[in-house]
Amino acid sequence: MTNSNPTGARLPVLVNLTTNETFPINGPVITIGRAPDNNVVVTTDPYMSGHHAKVFWADGGWYLEDLGSSNGTTVNDELVNGKVKLTPRDVLKVGRTKFSIQ
C-alpha cells in the first residue's frame, strides 16, 4: 500500500452540494469534520462529528472511511463500513452535508 498519489494523476475535488464550495484533495489524506484541524471544516452541520471521515489514497485509488462518527457516512446512499473506493460523481454524505467527488 502506498500513501502517495501517482505522478501525473489528476487530483479529485470535493464539492459541497449545498454551498458549491470546492475542496481540492491535494494530499494523500484529508479529513472532514467540524473540528478546526480538519482539511475540510463544516461548522454548520450539527450532525457532523469533530473528526467524521477521511479521504485517502491507497492501493492505486481514492477511498473514503468513516472515523467512528455518531451519525455515519454514506457513499451513494450506502452506509460506509470500513473503506469504500471512490469514483467520479460519487455522492458522499457526511453528517447531513452532501459532497460530490469530481
Side-chain angles (χ1 to χ4, degrees):
M1 179 162 95
T2 179
N3 285 335
S4 60
N5 189 27
T7 303
R10 181 186 167 281
L11 295 173
V13 174
L14 286 178
V15 178
N16 183 317
L17 294 178
T18 301
T19 66
N20 289 321
E21 191 173 5
T22 60
F23 303 93
I25 300 174
N26 55 8
V29 177
I30 66 156
T31 57
I32 305 167
R34 289 176 41 200
D37 61 338
N38 287 289
N39 304 96
V40 177
V41 178
V42 180
T43 58
T44 57
D45 183 348
Y47 294 91
M48 190 175 294
S49 296
H51 297 95
H52 197 107
K54 69 178 179 178
V55 175
F56 61 99
W57 178 261
D59 302 324
W62 291 100
Y63 290 83
L64 175 78
E65 183 176 3
D66 184 86
L67 297 175
S69 69
S70 300
N71 294 303
T73 303
T74 65
V75 174
N76 303 323
D77 296 322
E78 295 290 325
L79 189 62
V80 172
N81 290 310
K83 67 180 185 178
V84 173
K85 190 168 187 176
L86 298 173
T87 59
R89 293 186 291 282
D90 278 345
V91 175
L92 292 55
K93 186 176 174 190
V94 182
R96 290 203 175 160
T97 304
K98 289 186 178 182
F99 296 92
S100 175
I101 189 154
Q102 300 177 1

